[in-house]
Every structure is written in C-alpha cells, then in structure tokens.
Amino acid sequence: MKNGKGTNPEELIAAAHAGCFSMAFANIVAGRGYEPQEVSTTAITTLANPGNGFLITEIELNTEARIKGIDERTFQALANEAKMNCPVSKTLSSVAIKLNAKLLL
C-alpha cells in the first residue's frame, strides 16, 4: 500500500499472481530442458470503477529471468505459455493480463 500501513486485497492478488507465474515459468522452462537460474516477477494490478463498482481491470506481470542456453524467441514463447497456464492466470481469465518478459544475460 503506497503511503500507508498494511496491504489491500488487490496487492495480495498481485503478489499471488507474481509468485504463481514465476513457479509456472520455471517449471515449464525446466521441463523443456533449460536451466532456470533466476526468475523474478512483480505484478501490478489496475483497479477501476466503470460505474458499477470497483474491479481489477488489468494485471501487469513484469518478469526477469536468467536461463542458461535459451534464445530470446523460445524465452518469450515459454513466458507466454506460463502466463496463459499458471493457475492464478486461469482463475483471473476475465482480467486483461499483460506480460513484460526480459531475458537477462
């Protein structure tokens, strides 16, 4: 929570999504024979009130990963696969999910 104490439900959802995505991504990468050395993800939720009450309209996943032996194209494809298939992404399928994935060298 910015400028306050504690946290709110939207931040907890973002944290759960970031953790779930990181684990799903590392699992997919390892399952394809690559070595995930580091996967770090943050998530930002967008809360809006379109007139009928507040709701989460978007979650932005920002991930950085160091994966031995992977090329950029494969990296992006596997990151998108994880975005679509992690359990939290599936649960939040009515929310727009944006992914920014960066391969660290």
Side-chain angles (χ1 to χ4, degrees), residues 18-47:
C20 185
F21 173 83
S22 287
M23 288 188 296
F25 187 37
N27 187 46
I28 288 169
V29 166
R32 296 300 190 337
Y34 297 100
E35 292 182 44
Q37 298 171 321
E38 176 186 349
V39 177
S40 176
T41 306
T42 60
I44 301 167
T45 55
T46 300
L47 189 65

Side-chain angles (χ1 to χ4, degrees), residues 29 32-37 66-72 74-75 78 103-105:
V29 166
R32 296 300 190 337
Y34 297 100
E35 292 182 44
Q37 298 171 321
R66 197 175 314 280
I67 300 168
K68 189 174 181 180
I70 199 167
D71 62 86
E72 182 69 30
T74 303
F75 172 81
L78 297 181
L103 177 60
L104 302 174
L105 303 176

Side-chain angles (χ1 to χ4, degrees), residues 87-102:
V88 175
S89 289
K90 288 180 178 182
T91 300
L92 299 172
S93 61
S94 66
V95 176
I97 300 172
K98 181 179 175 183
L99 174 63
N100 302 307
K102 181 178 179 183

